[in-house]
Amino acid sequence: MSNRLKPLPHAVWQAQQARIVLSAAKRLDWRRWPLSRQVDYLFSLYGPLPVIQAQLGENSALAQFYEHCIHEQQAAHRNQCARLLRSLATKRTELLWRPEVASALAVVARWLPQRCRELADWQPRSRNPFRQLESLVRHLFDQYGDVPAWVINSWTAGRLHDGLNIAELTVHLGRGGALRTFRGLPGPLSRKVEHHLRLAPAGYPFLYALRYAQLAARDQLAWLGPVLDSRLSRYLGRDDEFWLRVVDFFAAAPMVDPYQLGPVCDWIHQKRTVGVNGEPAQPGFSLKGRSMNGVLTQTAQWHRQLTQASHRTPEASLTLGSTWEPMPIPDFSGGGKCSVRITQLRTYGDLLDEGRTLRHCVASYLDSCRRGRSAIFSLTLNDTRTVTLEVQANRTIVQARGLFNRRPNDEESAWIQRWAADNCLLIPKHLLGWCEA
């Protein structure tokens, strides 16, 4: 009798409510309703997110709009979202049918008071929902029609917090503001870099666009592929000018493989932050007075030491069996006569074995794996390791390297593309071939 009076844990109560609501939702087919009625129904809902998701369908458009426009939002934001969605429901738009754009439309609603044109005057001119979103953003916030394409593309690609606040940047530029005066930039821009930043390719995230502009300003766009293939495409710090001088060092050297830039940058980073060969870190390390042959030789020596250090560990508590939380990306197996596997490496010993076999420095990514910033995958053909892949937390494949840091061949690239497509992973254009300037 006492168990009947015992209060239920909150999670159990939510699960019970979700089951009750789900059974009721089976009798309520809101998907057949007109859009205006769906929006009214959406803003009549109230309750915990799991209960609402059970009622609407976890991955349905309406459930996504509830999560981003209503759940735990302030009244002012909910009212702006209601105004936006009710207006869109009266137009011939595909936006309200697509769960992928729910978060972007919630941001549009948040910035609606800063619009330069009235929402009622917008009409979609395409059946493609992502082009409709681009059109809507330009109509509301781009007064002069000159907001860079890569900024607008970030709305449709879900990169609204890509190193800076894309929505705020859109409003700033849409009012005629200069890029270099935007307060959210990670560092100052020269007029020349600003000019080229406006011309960066449409599909680039902010950091790629910035690297494009910096290299264009230095007349070094031929180095864009190697730069985007290195750590310079993943990190932006206070010593950014130093790393650009590393690119200058490579560009001035005759007959050097451009894709040695990535391994050299890894060696320099290790030398400046951790130390090499038992030496203390050298934060002021530079390439001044050094030769390219000397730098490549020391980089190669460091790589060999990493692959030969299976009996040594960076810290006392770390063993070869030490593991970490894997990234939620499935492994892959396939192929006909040729067995193909892409497997996530989950232990420190796995990283060392991979680096020893392919003669590169993947073992240096131990800390990134443990912190969840990156995951390392190994592509094997007929049980032979051929390519190492780095996938970042934003589900982008940022590195693909074979023996001695070679590029993937056509067969390996095809399997990487298939695996990426199966798991909705992004492959930058430069990764499997030279990047077009």
Side-chain angles (χ1 to χ4, degrees):
M1 183 65 69
S2 60
N3 286 339
R4 294 183 183 179
L5 303 177
K6 185 177 180 180
L8 289 174
H10 184 67
V12 175
W13 175 83
Q14 280 194 342
Q16 287 184 354
Q17 293 298 309
R19 286 194 293 271
I20 295 171
V21 170
L22 182 59
S23 62
K26 293 179 180 179
R27 301 188 297 270
L28 183 66
D29 193 359
W30 54 266
R31 292 174 178 81
R32 295 179 178 271
W33 296 349
L35 279 177
S36 56
R37 185 180 175 188
Q38 290 187 30
V39 172
D40 290 339
Y41 175 59
L42 173 67
F43 284 91
S44 71
L45 297 173
Y46 179 78
L49 185 60
V51 175
I52 300 301
Q53 288 176 337
Q55 181 173 349
L56 300 175
E58 183 175 358
N59 297 318
S60 69
L62 225 56
Q64 292 297 312
F65 280 112
Y66 180 87
E67 178 178 354
H68 294 286
C69 297
I70 300 175
H71 180 62
E72 296 183 348
Q73 300 294 335
Q74 296 181 353
H77 180 60
R78 291 199 301 269
N79 292 337
Q80 291 286 9
C81 289
R83 177 185 175 188
L84 174 66
L85 299 189
R86 287 190 172 109
S87 178
L88 293 178
T90 65
K91 303 176 185 294
R92 298 180 62 185
T93 175
E94 302 292 321
L95 291 173
L96 300 186
W97 297 99
R98 300 300 293 263
E100 303 98 317
V101 302
S103 60
L105 287 181
V107 177
V108 169
R110 190 176 300 279
W111 287 92
L112 205 55
Q114 309 295 326
R115 67 191 181 279
C116 62
R117 300 184 184 92
E118 291 302 318
L119 177 60
D121 297 334
W122 177 75
Q123 292 295 335
R125 297 183 179 180
S126 169
R127 295 295 299 273
N128 185 302
F130 300 102
R131 290 187 179 180
Q132 288 181 3
L133 179 58
E134 289 183 5
S135 170
L136 177 64
V137 170
R138 283 203 183 274
H139 173 83
L140 292 175
F141 306 120
D142 188 4
Q143 185 171 357
Y144 303 103
D146 61 353
V147 174
W150 65 267
V151 176
I152 300 297
N153 186 262
S154 295
W155 287 81
T156 60
R159 296 193 300 259
L160 289 176
H161 296 281
D162 185 32
L164 75 173
N165 190 322
I166 291 293
E168 186 178 1
L169 177 63
T170 304
V171 173
H172 172 80
L173 297 176
R175 291 175 170 176
L179 254 169
R180 66 183 181 278
T181 63
F182 180 61
R183 63 182 181 181
L185 289 174
L189 296 180
S190 67
R191 289 180 180 271
K192 193 172 184 180
V193 171
E194 178 192 21
H195 168 74
H196 290 291
L197 187 54
R198 286 182 172 272
L199 302 177
Y204 277 11
F206 166 67
L207 187 50
Y208 282 22
L210 179 61
R211 295 305 185 205
Y212 173 94
Q214 290 170 330
L215 294 176
R218 300 166 105 91
D219 294 323
Q220 292 176 357
L221 269 182
W223 286 84
L224 182 60
V227 166
L228 296 185
D229 205 44
S230 72
R231 65 181 300 107
L232 276 67
S233 70
R234 304 187 292 280
Y235 305 103
L236 183 65
R238 291 176 295 179
D239 56 350
D240 199 51
E241 185 60 31
F242 164 80
W243 292 107
L244 293 175
R245 289 198 295 271
V246 174
V247 181
D248 294 338
F249 178 78
F250 266 78
M255 294 300 294
V256 61
D257 180 1
Y259 283 93
Q260 287 295 325
L261 175 67
V264 168
C265 286
D266 289 338
W267 170 71
I268 294 174
H269 174 74
Q270 183 82 1
K271 201 168 183 68
R272 286 165 65 95
T273 59
V274 179
V276 175
N277 296 333
E279 299 175 350
Q282 302 178 36
F285 174 84
S286 75
L287 295 176
K288 187 176 181 179
R290 298 177 182 271
S291 69
M292 178 59 72
N293 284 337
V295 168
L296 293 179
T297 299
Q298 292 184 64
T299 300
Q301 290 174 349
W302 176 59
H303 284 211
R304 285 195 296 270
Q305 290 166 0
L306 283 175
T307 61
Q308 295 168 1
S310 60
H311 63 284
R312 297 194 301 270
T313 57
E315 56 192 61
S317 61
L318 188 66
T319 66
L320 297 182
S322 295
T323 186
W324 48 83
E325 184 69 24
M327 198 170 286
I329 299 174
D331 294 342
F332 174 86
S333 61
K337 296 180 180 179
C338 175
S339 175
V340 181
R341 301 184 69 85
I342 300 178
T343 309
Q344 185 168 180
L345 305 184
R346 292 173 167 83
T347 70
Y348 179 53
D350 290 340
L351 292 180
L352 288 170
D353 289 342
E354 184 80 1
R356 185 187 304 108
T357 302
L358 298 183
R359 305 297 180 87
H360 53 46
C361 58
V362 71
S364 65
Y365 287 87
L366 169 66
D367 188 58
S368 291
C369 290
R370 293 200 294 180
R371 292 176 181 270
R373 292 194 297 254
S374 299
I376 303 298
F377 289 80
S378 178
L379 168 64
T380 62
L381 300 176
N382 284 331
D383 298 324
T384 301
R385 299 176 192 259
T386 60
V387 175
T388 306
L389 302 160
E390 179 193 356
V391 182
Q392 289 199 323
N394 61 0
R395 302 182 72 85
T396 300
I397 304 175
V398 295
Q399 287 202 83
R401 296 288 187 153
L403 184 64
F404 294 113
N405 285 296
R406 69 166 175 82
R407 313 286 290 172
N409 60 32
D410 291 342
E411 180 185 13
E412 293 160 349
S413 297
W415 287 113
I416 293 170
Q417 290 172 328
R418 176 174 171 181
W419 172 63
D422 289 347
N423 295 285
C424 299
L425 304 177
L426 176 66
I427 303 180
K429 292 182 179 179
H430 72 273
L431 188 71
L432 302 179
W434 281 91
C435 182
E436 298 293 336

Coordinates of all heavy atoms in Angstrom, one line a residue, residues 327-332 342-346 351 354 362 374-379 387-391 399 419 425:
M327 N 32.7 9.1 -30.7 CA 31.8 10.0 -31.4 C 30.6 9.2 -32.0 O 30.9 8.1 -32.5 CB 32.5 10.8 -32.5 CG 31.7 12.0 -33.0 SD 32.7 13.1 -34.1 CE 33.9 13.8 -32.8
P328 N 29.4 9.6 -31.8 CA 28.3 8.8 -32.3 C 28.1 8.7 -33.8 O 27.1 9.2 -34.4 CB 27.0 9.4 -31.6 CG 27.4 10.9 -31.5 CD 28.9 10.9 -31.2
I329 N 29.1 8.1 -34.5 CA 29.1 8.0 -35.9 C 29.4 6.5 -36.2 O 30.4 5.9 -35.7 CB 30.2 8.8 -36.6 CG1 29.9 10.3 -36.3 CG2 30.2 8.6 -38.1 CD1 31.0 11.2 -36.8
P330 N 28.5 5.8 -36.9 CA 28.7 4.3 -37.1 C 29.9 4.0 -37.9 O 30.3 4.8 -38.8 CB 27.4 3.9 -37.8 CG 26.4 5.1 -37.6 CD 27.2 6.3 -37.5
D331 N 30.5 2.8 -37.7 CA 31.5 2.3 -38.5 C 30.9 1.8 -39.8 O 29.7 1.8 -40.0 CB 32.2 1.1 -37.8 CG 33.0 1.6 -36.6 OD1 33.3 2.8 -36.5 OD2 33.3 0.7 -35.7
F332 N 31.8 1.5 -40.8 CA 31.3 1.1 -42.1 C 32.0 -0.2 -42.5 O 33.2 -0.4 -42.3 CB 31.6 2.2 -43.1 CG 31.3 1.8 -44.5 CD1 30.0 2.0 -45.1 CD2 32.3 1.3 -45.4 CE1 29.7 1.7 -46.4 CE2 32.0 1.0 -46.7 CZ 30.7 1.1 -47.2
I342 N 35.6 1.0 -42.4 CA 36.0 2.3 -41.8 C 35.6 2.2 -40.3 O 34.4 2.1 -40.0 CB 35.3 3.5 -42.5 CG1 35.7 3.5 -44.0 CG2 35.6 4.8 -41.8 CD1 35.0 4.6 -44.8
T343 N 36.6 2.2 -39.5 CA 36.4 1.9 -38.0 C 36.9 3.1 -37.2 O 38.0 3.6 -37.4 CB 37.1 0.6 -37.7 OG1 36.7 -0.4 -38.6 CG2 36.8 0.2 -36.2
Q344 N 36.2 3.4 -36.2 CA 36.6 4.5 -35.3 C 37.6 3.9 -34.3 O 37.4 2.8 -33.7 CB 35.4 5.1 -34.5 CG 35.8 6.2 -33.6 CD 34.6 7.0 -33.0 OE1 34.8 8.0 -32.3 NE2 33.4 6.6 -33.4
L345 N 38.8 4.6 -34.1 CA 39.8 4.2 -33.2 C 39.4 4.7 -31.8 O 39.2 5.9 -31.6 CB 41.2 4.8 -33.6 CG 41.6 4.4 -35.1 CD1 43.0 4.9 -35.3 CD2 41.5 2.9 -35.3
R346 N 39.4 3.8 -30.8 CA 38.9 4.1 -29.5 C 39.9 4.0 -28.4 O 39.5 4.3 -27.2 CB 37.7 3.2 -29.2 CG 36.5 3.4 -30.2 CD 35.4 2.4 -29.9 NE 34.1 2.7 -30.6 CZ 33.9 2.5 -31.8 NH1 34.8 2.0 -32.6 NH2 32.7 2.8 -32.3
L351 N 45.6 4.4 -31.7 CA 46.2 5.6 -32.4 C 47.7 5.3 -32.7 O 48.1 5.7 -33.8 CB 46.1 6.8 -31.5 CG 44.6 7.4 -31.2 CD1 44.7 8.6 -30.3 CD2 44.0 7.8 -32.6
E354 N 48.0 2.9 -35.6 CA 47.7 3.6 -36.9 C 48.8 4.5 -37.3 O 49.2 4.5 -38.5 CB 46.4 4.4 -36.7 CG 45.9 5.1 -37.9 CD 45.1 4.2 -38.8 OE1 44.9 3.0 -38.5 OE2 44.6 4.6 -39.9
V362 N 49.2 10.7 -36.1 CA 47.9 10.7 -35.6 C 47.8 10.5 -34.1 O 46.9 10.9 -33.4 CB 47.0 9.6 -36.3 CG1 47.5 8.2 -35.8 CG2 45.6 9.8 -36.0
S374 N 37.5 15.8 -31.6 CA 37.8 15.0 -32.9 C 37.6 13.5 -32.6 O 37.7 13.1 -31.5 CB 39.2 15.3 -33.4 OG 39.4 16.6 -33.7
A375 N 37.3 12.8 -33.7 CA 37.3 11.3 -33.7 C 38.2 10.9 -34.9 O 38.2 11.5 -35.9 CB 35.9 10.8 -33.8
I376 N 39.0 9.8 -34.7 CA 39.9 9.3 -35.7 C 39.3 8.0 -36.2 O 39.0 7.1 -35.4 CB 41.3 9.1 -35.1 CG1 41.8 10.4 -34.6 CG2 42.2 8.5 -36.2 CD1 42.0 11.5 -35.6
F377 N 39.2 7.9 -37.5 CA 38.7 6.6 -38.1 C 39.8 6.1 -39.0 O 40.6 6.8 -39.6 CB 37.5 6.9 -39.0 CG 36.2 7.2 -38.2 CD1 36.0 8.5 -37.6 CD2 35.3 6.2 -38.0 CE1 34.9 8.8 -36.9 CE2 34.2 6.5 -37.2 CZ 34.0 7.8 -36.7
S378 N 39.8 4.8 -39.2 CA 40.8 4.1 -40.1 C 40.1 3.4 -41.2 O 39.2 2.6 -41.0 CB 41.6 3.1 -39.2 OG 42.5 2.4 -40.1
L379 N 40.5 3.7 -42.4 CA 40.0 3.0 -43.6 C 40.9 1.8 -44.0 O 42.1 2.0 -44.1 CB 39.9 4.0 -44.8 CG 39.6 3.4 -46.2 CD1 38.3 2.7 -46.2 CD2 39.7 4.4 -47.2
V387 N 44.1 4.6 -45.1 CA 43.8 6.0 -44.9 C 43.3 6.3 -43.5 O 42.5 5.5 -42.9 CB 42.8 6.6 -45.9 CG1 42.5 8.0 -45.6 CG2 43.3 6.4 -47.3
T388 N 43.8 7.3 -42.9 CA 43.4 7.8 -41.5 C 42.5 9.0 -41.7 O 42.9 9.9 -42.5 CB 44.5 8.1 -40.6 OG1 45.4 7.0 -40.5 CG2 44.0 8.5 -39.2
L389 N 41.3 9.1 -41.1 CA 40.4 10.1 -41.2 C 40.2 10.8 -39.9 O 40.0 10.2 -38.8 CB 39.0 9.6 -41.7 CG 39.1 8.9 -43.1 CD1 37.8 8.0 -43.2 CD2 39.2 9.8 -44.2
E390 N 40.1 12.2 -39.9 CA 39.8 12.9 -38.7 C 38.4 13.6 -38.9 O 38.2 14.3 -39.9 CB 40.8 14.0 -38.4 CG 40.4 14.8 -37.1 CD 41.2 16.1 -37.0 OE1 42.1 16.3 -37.8 OE2 40.9 16.9 -36.0
V391 N 37.5 13.3 -38.0 CA 36.1 13.9 -38.1 C 36.0 14.8 -36.8 O 36.2 14.3 -35.7 CB 35.0 12.8 -38.1 CG1 33.7 13.4 -38.2 CG2 35.3 11.8 -39.2
Q399 N 40.4 15.8 -42.2 CA 41.7 15.2 -42.7 C 41.5 13.8 -43.2 O 40.7 13.0 -42.7 CB 42.7 15.2 -41.6 CG 43.3 16.5 -41.2 CD 44.7 16.4 -40.5 OE1 45.7 16.3 -41.2 NE2 44.7 16.4 -39.2
W419 N 30.6 6.5 -47.3 CA 30.4 6.5 -45.8 C 29.9 7.8 -45.3 O 29.0 7.9 -44.5 CB 31.8 6.1 -45.2 CG 31.8 6.3 -43.7 CD1 31.1 5.5 -42.8 CD2 32.7 7.1 -42.9 NE1 31.5 5.9 -41.5 CE2 32.4 6.9 -41.6 CE3 33.6 8.1 -43.3 CZ2 33.1 7.6 -40.5 CZ3 34.3 8.8 -42.3 CH2 34.0 8.5 -40.9
L425 N 27.8 13.3 -43.1 CA 29.1 13.9 -42.8 C 29.4 14.9 -43.9 O 29.2 14.6 -45.1 CB 30.2 12.9 -42.6 CG 30.0 11.8 -41.5 CD1 31.2 10.9 -41.5 CD2 29.7 12.5 -40.2

